[in-house]
Amino acid sequence: MHTTILPPALYTWVAEQRRTGQSIERLRKAMLDKGWSEQDAEVALGESDQRADKAHGTHETTDVAVTVKLPAPDLSAAPQYLTVDGQRIKVLQTLEHPRIVVFADFLSDEECELLMASARPRLERSTVLGKEESVLSKKRTSEGMFFRRQETELVGRIEQRISTLLNWPLEFGEGIQVLRYGPGAEFAPHHDYFDPRHFEKPLLRGGQRVATLIMYLHEPEQGGATVFPEINLSIFPAKGSAVFFSYHKPDPSTLSLHGGAPVIAGEKWIATKWLREGKFI
């Protein structure tokens, strides 16, 4: 018998909707409209009710996101290099809380150049997620575009490398986003996870975001560091390098607040891969 493993964020969403008075039938219709199967809807709605019943006892409700298995490279043997897909990747820096790993030589120079060339014709002003749709914001002044998952041979190869390195299913990843930051462009500090109190629809496409990989395609002459202001960490772009960080729940306590400092001179190009806790649809 096949058992579907549904993302914990889906149960969180169902529970929150039930607390606001939404009916089971309305929630089922919403799930079906978003592409979930009848079986998945029944499992999510039925198990959510069971969880809610347990929460009515003397114990507080458990934060389900904490139990999610996270993407992560295998660094148990303290390796200085990891070879994936023939690419010899150097481990430069690690941090436990927040979980951050910095890699050198994640991409070759040729891969960086080809990815930028493929993305350039499709660049548009970057947006941020609003309550109903994506909107322009002074907090994010880059240009960007998304590749569909496995859209090209190059994109597919990079996605498989990410999946292997981070021990995470390829289908649990969003499409790669390429961003260009010219002089003065920045992205103010933000979290990559979706606040379930305000963003319901994104959670239905694969559950919560649980990790981010930023790949540097082109380094500016000045500025453009990836900053983690809560821990006073700045990671300066180096062509071909990458920074990985994960967040076990959608909460500021993960210390995953980060941003892109303004580019002072030159251009910064990055490619970002967000990983979900379930299959991204």
Side-chain angles (χ1 to χ4, degrees):
M1 179 180 179
H2 176 70
T3 301
T4 301
I5 301 176
L6 301 178
L10 180 59
Y11 296 111
T12 302
W13 176 79
V14 170
E16 289 174 347
Q17 294 304 303
R18 291 291 286 156
R19 283 196 293 271
T20 64
Q22 300 293 336
S23 69
I24 289 291
E25 287 306 316
R26 186 168 183 176
L27 296 182
R28 179 181 288 107
K29 183 179 184 302
M31 289 185 65
L32 296 178
D33 289 344
K34 289 298 180 181
W36 294 95
S37 68
E38 286 275 6
Q39 179 184 358
D40 290 344
E42 289 296 333
V43 170
L45 296 171
E47 291 190 8
S48 294
D49 284 346
Q50 294 173 14
R51 292 182 184 208
D53 290 341
K54 292 179 180 179
H56 290 158
T58 57
H59 298 287
E60 295 183 356
T61 305
T62 301
D63 186 345
V64 295
V66 175
T67 64
V68 175
K69 179 182 181 294
L70 294 176
D74 183 4
L75 303 180
S76 58
Q80 291 198 39
Y81 292 92
L82 297 167
T83 300
V84 181
D85 179 35
Q87 186 75 9
R88 193 167 185 254
I89 302 167
K90 183 173 178 58
V91 181
L92 289 180
Q93 182 180 6
T94 66
L95 194 65
E96 287 301 318
H97 185 61
R99 184 54 173 158
I100 298 175
V101 184
V102 182
F103 301 102
D105 302 319
F106 181 80
L107 297 174
S108 68
D109 283 355
E110 182 183 17
E111 288 171 331
C112 291
E113 295 296 330
L114 288 174
L115 205 56
M116 288 189 293
S118 298
R120 193 184 296 274
R122 292 160 58 180
L123 293 177
E124 296 181 350
R125 170 68 188 274
S126 299
T127 59
V128 297
L129 187 62
K131 289 189 176 181
E132 296 297 330
E133 59 184 9
S134 295
V135 297
L136 295 176
S137 172
K138 294 181 180 179
K139 295 181 178 181
R140 190 183 197 190
T141 51
S142 60
E143 296 175 304
M145 57 78 67
F146 275 96
F147 286 105
R148 297 187 307 276
R149 203 165 51 207
Q150 305 285 292
E151 180 174 335
T152 68
E153 186 276 333
L154 172 63
V155 168
R157 184 170 73 244
I158 294 172
E159 289 176 329
Q160 186 58 60
R161 187 178 305 163
I162 294 170
S163 174
T164 302
L165 177 69
L166 300 179
N167 299 291
W168 206 244
L170 189 148
E171 63 270 21
F172 284 22
E174 298 182 26
I176 290 175
Q177 183 184 44
V178 174
L179 295 166
R180 172 193 172 273
Y181 291 80
E186 64 179 316
F187 195 176
H190 59 282
H191 295 99
D192 281 351
Y193 58 72
F194 302 109
D195 187 334
R197 297 171 299 177
H198 305 297
F199 301 108
E200 301 169 358
K201 292 181 180 178
L203 296 175
L204 293 176
R205 300 191 64 194
Q208 189 58 262
R209 285 177 177 168
V210 291
T212 302
L213 183 74
I214 299 173
M215 298 162 277
Y216 299 103
L217 309 180
H218 186 275
E219 56 197 67
E221 297 170 23
Q222 289 179 272
T226 300
V227 297
F228 291 81
E230 294 174 319
I231 58 173
N232 297 318
L233 175 65
S234 295
I235 300 170
F236 290 91
K239 186 175 183 178
S241 66
V243 56
F244 163 79
F245 55 99
S246 60
Y247 24 95
H248 63 277
K249 61 181 178 179
D251 189 89
S253 64
T254 59
L255 301 181
S256 60
L257 183 72
H258 65 286
V263 170
I264 299 173
E267 290 185 347
K268 178 179 75 170
W269 286 71
I270 65 172
T272 302
K273 181 75 169 181
W274 288 293
L275 303 178
R276 299 290 189 106
E277 60 186 351
K279 184 177 180 180
F280 180 70
I281 57 174

